[in-house]
Amino acid sequence: MRAGPKGAVTSLPLDFTGWPDDRAARRERFVREYLITPKGAGAGRPFDLRRFQQEIVRGAFAPRIRTALVTARSAPAHERVIRTLRAWNIRIDEALFLGGLDKGEFLRAFGADIFFDDQRTHVESASKHVATGHVPHGIANE
């Protein structure tokens, strides 16, 4: 292929209106409706997921617990937090650095289900909005 400007994309955007809310079901439907077998037996026909492949898709996209780190820290301390989590091979879904904002109000708006903290002030603030647990470790608890 030569360098330079290419032609405009002429395909229509995908429309997922009316598709299932379940992530695994959406993925299976996408495979069924949009993927074709590239070559070999059945080439050019819709791709057919076997039962074990469907189980893999369902497992990979099953609902799970989402973990968020909510901290009063802000820049530049956020870099140390992220590097430490990576070094310890700890996976979280979201990291939220509030820069001193009230955690309780934030957790209410965020829709958290449970919250743990080592500082009683944050636990008391959050307990008005979400189930909380105090972790009695760290400098603030000596």
Side-chain angles (χ1 to χ4, degrees):
M1 183 175 280
R2 293 180 15 199
K6 306 295 183 258
V9 175
T10 58
S11 63
L12 296 173
L14 298 176
D15 181 16
F16 297 116
T17 306
W19 281 45
D21 289 332
D22 178 62
R23 294 173 63 204
R26 277 197 317 267
R27 190 60 54 119
E28 287 178 16
R29 182 171 172 182
F30 179 85
V31 167
R32 212 174 28 252
E33 293 187 16
Y34 290 102
L35 297 185
I36 60 167
T37 305
K39 59 184 178 179
R45 291 195 298 243
F47 190 81
D48 189 27
L49 286 176
R50 294 185 177 109
R51 180 173 288 150
F52 80 92
Q53 292 169 318
Q54 290 174 351
E55 290 174 12
I56 291 170
V57 168
R58 288 186 192 119
F61 294 96
R64 60 184 179 82
I65 295 173
R66 293 189 50 81
T67 306
L69 169 72
V70 179
T71 180
R73 297 177 184 271
S74 60
H78 70 287
E79 186 175 343
R80 190 180 103 211
V81 171
I82 292 171
R83 287 183 189 277
T84 301
L85 291 172
R86 285 181 182 165
W88 292 350
N89 200 25
I90 295 175
R91 190 184 75 67
I92 59 172
D93 297 302
E94 299 179 56
L96 306 154
F97 299 90
L98 303 183
L101 295 175
D102 180 56
K103 287 185 182 179
E105 284 297 320
F106 175 82
L107 292 166
R108 181 189 59 76
F110 184 71
D113 293 314
I114 190 166
F115 173 72
F116 298 96
D117 203 297
D118 65 333
Q119 295 184 29
R120 287 202 179 274
T121 56
H122 295 305
V123 171
E124 289 168 5
S125 169
S127 67
K128 298 172 188 163
H129 308 286
V130 63
T132 60
H134 180 244
V135 180
H137 298 285
I139 295 171
N141 294 296
E142 290 180 353

